[in-house]
Amino acid sequence: MPEGGLLGGLLGGEEESPEHGATGEARAGGDAFAAALAAEQARQDPRVAHAAEAFLGEQTRLLSEQRLELSEQRVLRLSHLHSQSREGKLRRFGQRIRNGMQVFTALIFTAVGVGLAVMIWDAFTSRSVVVDAFKAPSALAARGFTGDVVASGVLDGLQKLQDATRSADKSLNTTGAWSSDVKIDVPETGVSIGEINRLLHQRFGHDLHIDGDLVQTEAGGLALTVRGDGVPAKTFDGAAGDLDKLTTQAAEYVYGRSQPMQYATYLEGVDRNADALAFIPAAYARAANDEERAKLAHRWANAYAGLNQPAKAAEKQRLAMSLVKPRSPEWWTNYSNLIGSFTAAEGEEAGWRESQAFLRAIQAAPKSQRPPTRLLENVGADVWDLPLFLAANLADAQSHNGAGTSTAILGPQVADTYDLMHDPAQSARLLAASDPDDSVTKAEALLLEGYAALDRGDAAAAVPPLEAFYKAWLADPNLQFTYNDNPCFLGLAYGLAGRMAEAEPVFKKPGAWSRCYAFHGDALAHAGDLVGAQRVWAEGLKIAPDLPQVYLHRGVFELDHGDLKAAEADLSTAAAKAPHYADPLKAWGDVLARQGRWKDALAKFTEALKYAPAWTALHQARDAAARKA
């Protein structure tokens, strides 16, 4: 059998051609004839049979060897093919490795390029305060007062000042130049990544570098000198153990010279209004343009307001308004603050008129030039629009990262407004989220306790927390400006508890506020002095004829005593003076219900719910009216 035919059959080789197949058939026929002939001759001649047997044995042996050889070749061929397959796989795997390394290398270079680009961009846009290492003699260094320690103290002081500054303005970053090094060396140079970054900042940035020195005085104390770019050198002296005090003073000096607006804001926020008044005039004189001067004048006004000097505050607010473009955001901000100061300085009626002028100015302005909601706080307070007042405060808190304005945090004020809208749950939630260490938060907590006792008719229980509030109010000008008429709640509690002699001086202390006149009349009426009550209410209407409080309280008194006609007249007037104030509407509905006019009462209760949606008593009154209407 030909070798190629057998191997081709085993490996699935090509089929034989027709011609080749015919030749094989002829050969097979001849072999058969020869075999038959040989067999016949073998029977006749033993020698032929012996030769044929030998020939056939040899042929069998050759065929066996041929089969063995072909089998071995097949194994070798299969092994070769498998080897080629493995080599192909290895070549493909190697190619993948090379491709992966190329991609990885490209990614590394891309990352390096991006990192370098970021470093360059950061250098161009950097406006940080960089505190470099200070100098200190070896004698002080032996006591632990090294240059790095002193610089760290100044750096820590700057960071604390920034953290304590309640402001929406972006402040400068503070870094310690010696501590910002990234310990990765650039090959063959020994220069670290941090050093490259520092060089880029020095070449292209706008950083303010601060350094200085610490020395020991002849008396054994310490003298710390601080200086920097645009920061004249200044020395602070102290005792041997006053390093923390000196670094704090140095940090405040640097903060004030490098960021006067932020420092003024900080001083107001921590009730250091006297320090703010000492700092701002010089900062105002150094200001580079009207924009900076306007901002400082605004802080100047806030410092006066924090000291309960509203007339001087109004003067600085007008100054700030004169330095900016009318109807600009800064102009509206100062106008809004002017209303608050003007009300405190000139009285509620004057504030109400100015608030009406403010609202008309808004209506006259193009929509694109109108103030944001947060600037309607003082207007909402003056016209007794509690939902507007609440919305303005919430918007103001949101714009200042939840803190509110720089002069006073807004959580307590929002809590107070929710309580006026008869939503004690929201009031408690807001107060709980306010800074517990802030003086305004502490004062509001006392007020809310007193309000709750008065609402449930327990005047005696209202007295202690309201007395504590009044004591704090007397000692803090900032509380006096923030809570201008709230001491009169104590006067009301005294009067309802039968302590009119103690109530009288409390009512007089805050000044001429319509709510104080309203409460004073309530206390006198409760004491049986109806003539005195009517006299006080009449005085209140003279000083604030456009405010709702006296009409409201006198109307409730008339309702309680059955004079429904007079009550309806007063309560309808109160509702007209403050159409978004729920209390007059609810009391007016009570009058209508007493008269059996259930449909009209239902309308008043429903309207009132728009402005005090969580008021439980109002819901109950509305439901009762709905059943009878």
Side-chain angles (χ1 to χ4, degrees):
M1 180 179 289
E3 179 180 333
L6 177 61
L7 187 60
L10 289 172
L11 300 179
E14 295 181 357
E15 296 181 357
E16 293 180 334
S17 65
E19 294 80 1
H20 189 187
T23 303
E25 291 174 0
R27 183 181 298 115
D31 289 345
F33 175 76
L37 179 61
E40 181 61 24
Q41 289 179 345
R43 285 194 300 267
Q44 299 174 1
D45 188 350
R47 290 178 299 176
V48 173
H50 179 74
E53 182 181 358
F55 172 78
L56 291 174
E58 180 66 18
Q59 290 299 313
T60 300
R61 185 184 64 80
L62 291 174
L63 287 173
S64 298
E65 291 179 354
Q66 188 178 40
R67 282 196 300 271
L68 179 60
E69 181 181 358
L70 289 174
S71 178
E72 292 175 349
Q73 290 177 354
R74 179 175 178 273
V75 172
L76 290 173
R77 179 70 179 269
L78 289 174
S79 176
H80 177 67
L81 290 175
H82 284 302
S83 176
Q84 287 182 329
S85 176
R86 287 195 299 270
E87 290 176 359
K89 290 180 180 178
L90 289 174
R91 283 196 298 271
R92 289 192 296 273
F93 181 73
Q95 184 63 37
R96 292 193 189 102
I97 292 294
R98 286 192 294 272
N99 292 340
M101 289 299 296
Q102 290 173 355
V103 171
F104 182 68
T105 303
L107 288 175
I108 290 177
F109 279 105
T110 301
V112 171
V114 170
L116 184 58
V118 169
M119 289 173 62
I120 294 173
W121 173 256
D122 182 61
F124 270 101
T125 59
S126 178
R127 285 171 172 79
S128 298
V129 176
V130 179
V131 182
D132 297 308
F134 280 45
K135 297 177 181 178
S138 56
L140 291 176
R143 295 166 51 189
F145 296 162
T146 65
D148 285 0
V149 169
V150 177
S152 294
V154 175
L155 177 63
D156 291 344
L158 285 169
Q159 291 173 335
K160 289 177 182 177
L161 289 168
Q162 289 187 82
D163 291 342
T165 302
R166 292 195 291 262
S167 174
D169 294 333
K170 179 178 175 60
S171 60
L172 292 177
N173 295 320
T174 55
T175 62
W178 70 93
S179 62
S180 61
D181 198 14
V182 181
K183 298 299 183 182
I184 301 176
D185 289 342
V186 177
E188 299 181 0
T189 65
V191 180
S192 70
I193 296 296
E195 289 169 345
I196 293 175
N197 187 48
R198 188 177 304 124
L199 290 173
L200 289 172
H201 276 248
Q202 290 174 353
R203 178 63 181 86
F204 302 111
H206 307 278
D207 294 337
L208 169 64
H209 283 264
I210 299 296
D211 59 24
D213 50 69
L214 178 72
V215 298
Q216 189 170 20
T217 64
E218 293 182 359
L222 298 174
L224 174 61
T225 300
V226 64
R227 65 181 68 83
D229 303 327
V231 179
K234 186 172 182 178
T235 300
F236 302 91
D237 297 317
D242 285 347
L243 182 60
D244 289 344
K245 175 184 176 181
L246 296 179
T247 55
T248 298
Q249 292 174 339
E252 289 197 4
Y253 172 67
V254 171
Y255 197 43
R257 293 299 299 229
S258 63
Q259 301 183 77
M261 263 293 299
Q262 295 296 92
Y263 184 53
T265 301
Y266 160 76
L267 291 173
E268 293 167 22
V270 295
D271 293 334
R272 290 172 56 183
N273 292 294
D275 290 339
L277 290 180
F279 166 75
I280 292 174
Y284 183 91
R286 291 193 300 268
N289 50 54
D290 281 350
E291 180 182 1
E292 292 182 11
R293 281 186 280 271
K295 290 181 178 181
L296 285 166
H298 172 73
R299 299 300 173 198
W300 209 341
N302 285 351
Y304 276 123
L307 291 173
N308 198 27
Q309 300 181 39
K312 291 184 178 180
E315 176 187 333
K316 298 307 178 187
Q317 281 147 359
R318 290 190 179 94
L319 171 62
M321 290 178 68
S322 71
L323 295 169
V324 297
K325 184 179 179 180
R327 293 177 176 171
S328 65
E330 295 79 13
W331 187 83
W332 285 115
T333 298
N334 285 285
Y335 192 0
S336 173
N337 289 347
L338 174 62
I339 289 174
S341 299
F342 191 72
T343 300
E346 303 294 332
E348 281 180 289
E349 186 68 19
W352 181 88
R353 289 194 297 267
E354 195 65 38
S355 293
Q356 297 298 327
F358 187 94
L359 293 171
R360 290 192 296 272
I362 293 176
Q363 292 298 321
K367 289 187 177 180
S368 61
Q369 298 180 16
R370 292 179 180 178
T373 300
R374 65 182 180 84
L375 296 181
L376 302 180
E377 172 189 337
N378 289 324
V379 172
D382 279 356
V383 303
W384 275 90
D385 188 335
L386 295 181
L388 177 62
F389 184 62
L390 176 63
N393 275 298
L394 291 175
D396 192 14
Q398 184 177 12
S399 70
H400 290 80
N401 300 317
T405 59
S406 59
T407 304
I409 59 174
L410 285 177
Q413 188 161 286
V414 175
D416 199 87
T417 307
Y418 271 122
D419 197 84
L420 288 173
M421 295 172 67
H422 306 278
D423 191 346
Q426 284 284 61
S427 178
R429 182 182 67 83
L430 263 294
L431 191 67
S434 188
D435 181 3
D437 295 324
D438 189 272
S439 61
V440 182
T441 302
K442 295 176 181 178
E444 183 63 32
L446 295 169
L447 281 175
L448 292 179
E449 185 179 350
Y451 296 165
L454 289 172
D455 286 343
R456 64 176 182 265
D458 191 350
V463 168
L466 292 175
E467 283 181 331
F469 165 79
Y470 186 52
K471 181 179 179 180
W473 184 88
L474 290 172
D476 189 343
N478 187 44
L479 289 180
Q480 293 166 18
F481 184 81
T482 304
Y483 294 104
N484 38 45
D485 68 348
N486 292 73
C488 292
F489 278 96
L490 175 59
L492 177 62
Y494 277 147
L496 297 180
R499 300 164 62 176
M500 278 304 300
E502 295 170 274
E504 290 292 348
V506 175
F507 283 128
K508 295 177 181 178
K509 185 65 176 179
W513 296 95
S514 64
R515 194 158 57 169
C516 289
Y517 282 98
F519 289 169
H520 194 179
D522 289 346
L524 290 169
H526 181 79
D529 185 359
L530 301 184
V531 174
Q534 293 291 352
R535 174 180 53 80
V536 169
W537 283 329
E539 290 174 358
L541 290 179
K542 286 182 181 179
I543 64 133
D546 289 300
L547 276 297
Q549 289 297 333
V550 173
Y551 297 109
L552 170 61
H553 284 255
R554 189 172 67 179
V556 170
F557 169 80
E558 292 160 345
L559 169 63
D560 291 342
H561 288 76
D563 191 349
L564 301 184
K565 182 178 180 179
E568 185 173 2
D570 271 337
L571 294 171
S572 62
T573 301
K577 298 294 184 183
H580 297 162
Y581 186 17
D583 288 49
L585 289 167
K586 197 268 184 188
W588 189 1
D590 289 338
V591 172
L592 296 171
R594 183 81 65 87
Q595 294 172 339
R597 297 159 59 186
W598 294 107
K599 185 175 181 179
D600 293 337
L602 177 61
K604 298 306 176 189
F605 293 146
T606 302
E607 180 71 12
L609 279 172
K610 296 179 182 178
Y611 314 119
W615 193 356
T616 301
L618 180 56
H619 279 280
Q620 294 170 347
R622 184 194 178 283
D623 292 343
R627 288 192 295 268
K628 297 181 180 182

